[in-house]
Amino acid sequence: MIAEVEDAGPTLPRALVILAEGAEESEAVIIVDLLRRAGIETVLAGLNGDGPVLLSRKVRVIPDAALATVPGIFNILILPGGAEGARRLATSELVGEYLKTFDREGRLVAAICAAPLAFLAHHVFAGRSMTCHPSVASRVAMYGKLDQRSPVVEDGNLITSQGPGTTFLF
């Protein structure tokens, strides 16, 4: 179940970045770094708990909290890519709950690299314009309007990007 607290009035924007085993290091770390530099409260949540997460290039990152216990309301949900990380995001029921809630409420959702595969698995953002890593483009194209000409694609409350080389733009 997605934890939320009562609205206590105006607060800084909050970003939730979900970190799964096998995620792409540069995408996760650059995203968190840039958001925090911008003054956005950013929570790096471990998909499987708050212990160290082994990423795609064998770097271990310690999340701020476990996704299952993260309290509060977030303005944006961010999914870093990486083949194995994307697979794990796509098979997580909790990630599906978050995606469906954010989609229903019109809150921002951002996914990079292979992470848009989670949209297919959880049946959100069908038919929307998006981009992704070339390795998953054929699958994403069957679900959404694929735009591989742009490094970052925005469609309403959905933001997608192609991969590690486009992370700063993302």
Side-chain angles (χ1 to χ4, degrees):
M1 189 68 187
I2 300 172
E4 295 194 2
V5 294
E6 288 188 35
D7 186 11
T11 59
L12 291 174
R14 296 186 79 215
L16 178 62
V17 180
I18 301 177
L19 189 63
E21 293 274 331
E24 169 58 49
E25 286 86 345
S26 60
E27 294 167 4
V29 173
I30 290 169
I31 289 166
V32 171
D33 178 54
L34 292 177
L35 290 171
R36 288 180 177 170
R37 287 175 190 255
I40 296 171
E41 181 185 345
T42 304
V43 175
L44 182 60
L47 180 61
N48 294 321
D50 61 0
V53 178
L54 184 64
L55 304 181
S56 66
R57 303 297 180 264
K58 309 305 178 210
V59 173
R60 292 186 194 280
V61 173
I62 300 172
D64 301 315
L67 180 61
T69 63
V70 172
I73 297 172
F74 294 90
N75 306 91
I76 184 169
L77 173 64
I78 303 169
L79 305 178
E84 181 60 19
R87 186 191 69 74
R88 291 173 185 263
L89 294 169
T91 60
S92 167
E93 289 182 28
L94 185 54
V95 170
E97 288 180 39
Y98 268 99
L99 285 170
K100 289 172 185 171
T101 298
F102 274 65
D103 183 28
R104 181 177 59 252
E105 295 177 1
R107 288 190 266 164
L108 288 174
V109 172
I112 187 168
C113 192
L117 290 176
F119 303 155
L120 287 71
H122 299 297
H123 309 290
V124 293
F125 303 113
R128 302 281 292 276
S129 294
M130 58 184 82
T131 192
C132 60
H133 192 272
S135 66
V136 298
S138 63
R139 289 184 277 170
V140 171
M142 292 187 298
Y143 188 75
K145 296 177 189 165
L146 186 65
D147 178 355
Q148 289 295 84
R149 297 167 298 169
S150 303
V152 177
V153 174
E154 295 180 47
D155 184 345
N157 65 320
L158 179 64
I159 304 167
T160 54
S161 190
Q162 295 176 351
T166 63
T167 306
F168 280 97
L169 294 171
F170 176 71

